[in-house]
Amino acid sequence: MNICFFSGDVTRNGGTERVSITIANELAKEKEWKVSFLSLVEQRETPCYEISREIRRDALGKKWLSPGPAYLPLIPKVRKYLKEREIDLIIDIDVVLDVLSVPAAKGLKTKVLSWEHSNCAYELGILYRKVIVKCFTKRTDQLVTLTPGDALAFQKLFGRKERITSIYNPASLPKLPEGNRRENWLITAGRLVPGKGMDLLTAVAKKVLTDFPDWKWMLCGEGPEREMLLDFCKREGLKERLVLLGYVPKVEEWLARAKVFVLTSRAEGLPMCLLEARSCGLPCVSFNVPTGPADLISDGVNGWLIKPFDCGDMAAKLERMMGDPELLEKMAANADKGLDPFLPSEVMGEWKKLIRQLLE
């Protein structure tokens, strides 16, 4: 059986790409499936995350295309690929790609699985994504969401209870080095884009870094908001305190040295960064956006959930932790508890079961 993961660009360094590659690599170990990646474009020669040698990579073009009329010529290209490669299952790792795969697979043996990496509310809040979800995603053979709550939201939207399920993202549990030393660091990891709330982060950072001059805030990631962040650091005299590390290949090495993880996103699905932070023993503080954070943070137990987008309360909760070593230690001790549902073995079991049901 041939399984194809369909991506905008699998060479990017986002959490979606990392999770998709992790799942694909594991599936490629099974003799019953042959796995490939198809991207709209590949903007890097080498993917940011290692892809198994068993997995073939293809791209439809070299120039990035924004969703819209420019997508139309791609439909016959996708159909040709599905036919030539005899694809049994195409997994769209962004629901936007359903607008291509659903018409391309019509009349073929290929089944289409749509994989939601954000949440239903986010999709309905952006016009072109809303149109695609209502016109194409509801016609896929299977929809996979990241949380049970989001699966229910899509069930209500589509008016159907079948062919919608939720599967968590996997989180590995890294073994921290003996005698691991923690620094007075807050840390955030993710793309430097508006959706990740970089402007909100600066509002919080200005308060806590001023009040706690012996702490730093480490920021792992790259993106278009970098210049805004550099200007902020220069303007507020925080150049050595809010540290822009850029793209970090092994983020767990930085998480292992920090004391608190902070997420300021405006929307999430199931944030890999929170899973990774918890697995590294970090208490987490996040805005309680509709899906994701509440699935991973027990308020007051292993971190704090903050009303969106109350920067004052987030700063106050962070300062409470930063100023109380006993509280911080107590929350850190609870960070890696209850992660069994997110273990790779559990998650892969769910994926394999679902794929076998689809292809039987």
Side-chain angles (χ1 to χ4, degrees):
M1 292 290 186
N2 291 312
I3 299 174
C4 172
F5 286 79
F6 192 17
S7 169
D9 181 354
V10 74
T11 67
R12 291 182 296 194
N13 66 341
T16 296
E17 288 72 32
R18 183 177 356 174
V19 173
S20 302
I21 289 172
T22 298
I23 300 298
N25 285 345
E26 288 300 314
L27 291 178
K29 295 178 182 178
E30 301 289 336
K31 294 182 179 180
E32 63 189 294
W33 298 315
K34 193 171 184 178
V35 182
S36 62
F37 268 103
L38 175 65
S39 296
L40 296 182
V41 298
E42 286 194 356
Q43 296 171 298
R44 298 171 182 260
E45 288 188 10
T46 303
C48 289
Y49 308 107
E50 186 175 354
I51 297 177
S52 168
R53 293 181 180 180
E54 302 296 321
I55 297 177
R56 171 173 171 160
R57 285 170 33 218
D58 294 290
L60 294 175
K62 297 182 179 180
K63 184 179 180 182
W64 179 257
L65 298 173
S66 297
Y71 266 23
L72 292 176
L74 297 180
I75 295 175
K77 291 184 178 181
V78 176
R79 185 174 180 83
K80 181 181 179 182
Y81 179 87
L82 297 179
K83 293 174 70 175
E84 290 182 349
R85 300 292 302 160
E86 298 183 335
I87 300 300
D88 296 283
L89 174 66
I90 184 168
I91 299 175
D92 297 340
I93 68 173
D94 184 338
V95 296
V96 167
L97 298 174
D98 297 343
V99 73
L100 299 175
S101 59
V102 169
K106 187 175 182 180
L108 303 181
K109 68 172 183 176
T110 308
K111 293 191 175 180
V112 180
L113 185 152
S114 184
W115 190 4
E116 172 59 75
H117 283 271
S118 185
N119 60 69
C120 187
Y122 172 76
E123 303 301 351
L124 297 181
I126 300 175
L127 181 58
Y128 77 89
R129 299 185 75 94
K130 178 179 179 180
V131 170
I132 291 172
V133 166
K134 288 197 169 185
C135 294
F136 294 93
T137 300
K138 75 177 194 177
R139 293 163 54 194
T140 58
D141 296 285
Q142 182 73 40
L143 172 63
V144 174
T145 68
L146 296 178
T147 65
D150 208 39
L152 288 174
F154 274 104
Q155 285 176 3
K156 292 179 181 179
L157 175 65
F158 295 156
R160 76 185 195 198
K161 295 184 178 181
E162 298 179 347
R163 297 182 292 135
I164 300 176
T165 190
S166 63
I167 301 179
Y168 288 131
N169 280 338
S172 58
L173 299 180
K175 185 177 181 180
L176 299 181
E178 291 186 12
N180 180 60
R181 182 187 174 194
R182 300 280 184 179
E183 310 281 354
N184 282 344
W185 291 352
L186 305 174
I187 189 167
T188 297
R191 291 176 296 145
L192 309 185
V193 295
K196 296 297 182 181
M198 293 297 106
D199 57 326
L200 303 172
L201 184 149
T202 60
V204 177
K206 182 177 179 179
K207 179 71 167 64
V208 301
L209 293 180
T210 299
D211 293 347
F212 285 79
D214 59 330
W215 281 68
K216 292 183 178 181
W217 195 322
M218 316 303 283
L219 187 50
C220 307
E222 270 298 353
E225 295 279 70
R226 182 180 182 84
E227 289 304 316
M228 180 277 289
L229 291 164
L230 289 173
D231 289 343
F232 165 78
C233 291
K234 183 178 180 181
R235 184 173 65 252
E236 302 296 333
L238 296 174
K239 188 176 181 181
E240 304 299 325
R241 309 280 311 289
L242 180 60
V243 184
L244 276 64
L245 298 172
Y247 168 63
V248 176
K250 296 183 179 180
V251 70
E252 65 274 10
E253 294 180 356
W254 293 90
L255 294 174
R257 296 175 61 190
K259 289 186 177 178
V260 184
F261 188 90
V262 188
L263 185 65
T264 57
S265 293
R266 286 184 162 84
E268 284 289 348
L270 187 73
M272 281 297 293
C273 56
L274 290 183
L275 279 171
E276 291 168 340
R278 282 191 56 192
S279 67
C280 287
L282 283 179
C284 301
V285 178
S286 172
F287 291 125
N288 191 17
V289 292
T291 62
D295 293 274
L296 296 169
I297 299 174
S298 297
D299 195 41
V301 177
N302 56 20
W304 298 107
L305 291 168
I306 310 298
K307 180 182 177 181
F309 296 97
D310 191 337
C311 294
D313 189 37
M314 177 173 278
K317 289 295 197 303
L318 286 172
E319 291 193 353
R320 183 176 170 185
M321 298 168 76
M322 296 159 73
D324 188 340
E326 290 187 6
L327 174 63
L328 193 57
E329 184 177 350
K330 181 179 179 181
M331 286 189 166
N334 292 326
D336 63 355
K337 294 179 179 179
L339 288 177
D340 286 355
F342 306 97
L343 290 175
S345 57
E346 295 291 324
V347 173
M348 287 310 305
E350 292 294 317
W351 271 106
K352 292 174 183 178
K353 178 181 178 182
L354 177 61
I355 291 173
R356 289 183 178 121
Q357 288 175 346
L358 278 172
L359 298 181
E360 66 182 9

